[in-house]
Amino acid sequence: MSGNNTVLARNTENAPKNALFSQTVAFSHYNHLSAQLPIDPTSGEMVVGGIKEQAEQCFKNIKAIVDSIDHVMDDVVRVTVFVKNISDVDTVDAVYKTFFQSYVPTRTVVAVAALPMDALVQVEAIVSNGEGTIPNAPQAGDIIKVTNNTENAPTSSLSTQTVAFSHYNHLSAQLPIDPKSGELVAGGIKEQAGQCLKNIKAILEGIDVPFDDIVKINVFLKNHSDLEAVNEVYSTFFPDSAIARAVAYVPARTTVEVSALPMDALIQIEAVVSHGDGTPPQAVEDRHGLIIEANNTKEAPINALSTQTVAFSHFNHFSAQLPLDPKTGEMVSGGVKEQAAQCLTNIKAIVESIDHVMEDIVKVNIYLKDITDTDAVDEVYKTYFPAGIPARRTVGVSALPSDALIQFEVIVSNAEGTPPTA
């Protein structure tokens, strides 16, 4: 399988287009879509109306992209909803239900400080790609999607706790909800962080997957000043096994402050998990024995609580990169352009340290302290991605670690796979 993959970027006239990124980038068995704004693709303008009309347009754009690559909405494995106002979630949910009437994917919902074009909502999706990226190559076609819910973690009619496809499990973001009562746990940030991670562990136990098979963690915080307390709790969960402790394995990680979370929670955590046995039908040699490959380079900032990049099967998941000089560990001087350049320089160093190139990046996520800095960031971005290939998401956040103005994270294709290769 490992020699039969290619980065496949595609666009359709039936959804908004942008010269800086592709609507969808497929690699191996996943399509990563750019986050969709409520833009009418015919006019290029924001649709008229409020949150309902904007949510409908976001999902229409996603459906148009999905249709254009000969897929269906039931092939969506994860949806991420960014809203400007958390009070709008109920209205978005009503629209959401019309697009997912039976099967529901995993889901994350957060309120952010700002969205491009002053939108009220932005929606992002990850889509399965059973045929692989070279349909006529001898790949494991007709792979099935496997969904699972356990009573030991919170359940929702709007999302599935975990959806596995090929060699990954995508988990719905977990709130600090006691699954027995359905209520937020009592206490402060430490208790809430602990409950989020307990819920993730319960979901993994429900599918017989070890906790240390997590390759990526995303932490959404109401108050970034709580991060130190969260890290205390986090360190009690990672590493989780003797093998992981022996090599000091911790997943890649991203941490951002958001303006609000469902149920007025202080924290929400989502996870991406390796799935070594794959989902059927797959040949045994394509399913078993894949390993997690974690890597750090001194050419980029190192953090004891996260690995710079964690590869599994055909993807590398990166920790979000701040504008830190790896030699000094300090923030680079200058404004958002200098900070954006340093983030991308750090990403390039990590990419090169694993014998990859920037063209192997399939998805870029940009977190901005000030959404009005987007044009300045794009000037820098073009120099690193002159062809504008990766799918992309941009959101404005309330705060970033180290009081940075910007933070980047990426997902990188991994054509060679992780051993054993087919």
Side-chain angles (χ1 to χ4, degrees):
M1 279 180 61
S2 60
N4 296 312
N5 292 304
T6 186
V7 174
L8 179 59
R10 288 172 284 187
N11 292 289
T12 173
E13 299 294 333
N14 297 323
K17 296 174 75 174
N18 190 301
L20 290 174
F21 47 88
S22 301
Q23 291 168 352
T24 178
V25 178
F27 187 82
S28 186
H29 292 130
Y30 281 96
N31 294 281
H32 288 85
L33 272 61
S34 288
Q36 291 301 301
L37 289 163
I39 298 171
D40 181 329
T42 303
S43 67
E45 301 295 329
M46 192 81 68
V47 294
V48 175
I51 184 64
K52 181 177 182 290
E53 291 77 13
Q54 289 199 16
E56 286 175 343
Q57 189 63 52
C58 290
F59 283 108
K60 285 178 183 177
N61 291 342
I62 287 173
K63 188 175 186 301
I65 297 167
V66 169
D67 290 346
S68 75
I69 56 174
D70 297 322
H71 282 262
V72 295
M73 289 297 280
D74 279 356
D75 289 336
V76 174
V77 297
R78 177 190 284 286
V79 167
T80 304
V81 178
F82 299 95
V83 291
K84 184 75 181 297
N85 302 300
I86 199 71
S87 59
D88 284 338
V89 171
D90 287 346
T91 303
V92 174
D93 286 347
V95 175
Y96 178 89
K97 291 175 184 177
T98 67
F99 286 85
F100 299 100
Q101 297 185 10
S102 53
Y103 158 78
V104 285
T106 62
R107 196 172 79 148
T108 298
V109 177
V110 297
V112 293
L115 291 167
M117 299 179 69
D118 201 27
L120 299 176
V121 62
Q122 181 176 246
V123 183
E124 174 182 283
I126 298 175
V127 181
S128 60
N129 193 39
E131 69 275 20
T133 41
I134 302 182
N136 296 323
Q139 295 197 327
D142 301 319
I143 299 170
I144 65 170
K145 183 170 70 245
V146 178
T147 62
N148 193 73
N149 288 298
T150 172
E151 293 180 354
N152 297 322
T155 58
S156 170
S157 62
L158 294 173
S159 63
T160 303
Q161 288 171 353
T162 178
V163 177
F165 188 82
S166 188
H167 290 129
Y168 278 96
N169 292 285
H170 290 267
L171 272 62
S172 286
Q174 292 301 300
L175 289 162
I177 298 172
D178 181 328
K180 293 181 180 179
S181 68
E183 303 294 332
L184 289 184
V185 294
I189 186 62
K190 286 188 177 182
E191 289 78 13
Q192 290 199 16
Q195 189 63 50
C196 291
L197 291 165
K198 285 177 185 176
N199 290 342
I200 289 171
K201 194 164 190 178
I203 293 169
L204 294 185
E205 288 173 349
I207 56 174
D208 297 321
V209 172
F211 202 67
D212 281 321
D213 280 357
I214 294 173
V215 296
K216 178 71 192 296
I217 287 282
N218 296 318
V219 180
F220 301 99
L221 281 171
K222 181 74 180 297
N223 300 299
H224 206 274
S225 58
D226 285 336
L227 182 57
E228 187 174 339
V230 170
N231 285 341
E232 286 183 41
V233 178
Y234 191 85
S235 298
T236 67
F237 283 82
F238 296 101
D240 186 59
S241 66
I243 294 174
R245 285 191 290 273
V247 295
Y249 171 71
V250 285
R253 193 174 80 159
T254 295
T255 303
V256 294
E257 181 178 300
V258 295
S259 59
L261 291 165
M263 299 179 69
D264 201 27
L266 300 176
I267 186 171
Q268 181 175 243
I269 301 177
E270 69 178 8
V272 179
V273 183
S274 62
H275 190 53
D277 50 341
T279 53
Q282 289 187 317
V284 171
E285 63 268 21
D286 286 339
R287 290 173 55 197
H288 294 294
L290 300 179
I291 65 170
I292 289 174
E293 290 185 336
N295 188 75
N296 287 302
T297 173
K298 293 179 180 178
E299 300 303 313
I302 294 176
N303 189 306
L305 292 175
S306 62
T307 302
Q308 289 169 353
T309 178
V310 178
F312 186 82
S313 186
H314 293 302
F315 288 95
N316 295 280
H317 288 266
F318 277 38
S319 289
Q321 292 300 303
L322 290 163
L324 302 176
D325 183 327
K327 294 179 180 177
T328 65
E330 301 295 328
M331 191 76 65
V332 295
S333 58
V336 71
K337 284 188 178 181
E338 290 77 14
Q339 290 198 15
Q342 187 62 52
C343 291
L344 290 165
T345 296
N346 291 342
I347 286 170
K348 188 171 187 289
I350 298 169
V351 166
E352 292 175 348
S353 76
I354 54 172
D355 297 322
H356 282 262
V357 293
M358 294 292 279
E359 288 79 7
D360 291 334
I361 294 175
V362 296
K363 179 71 190 301
V364 175
N365 295 329
I366 304 173
Y367 302 94
L368 277 170
K369 181 76 179 295
D370 186 346
I371 200 73
T372 62
D373 284 337
T374 300
D375 288 345
V377 171
D378 284 345
E379 288 183 38
V380 178
Y381 186 88
K382 292 174 188 176
T383 66
Y384 287 82
F385 300 101
I389 292 297
R392 197 172 85 161
R393 170 220 295 172
T394 302
V395 296
V397 296
S398 305
L400 290 166
S402 303
D403 200 27
L405 300 176
I406 189 168
Q407 179 174 251
F408 277 81
E409 69 177 355
V410 300
I411 300 171
V412 180
S413 61
N414 192 38
E416 67 274 21
T418 52
T421 53

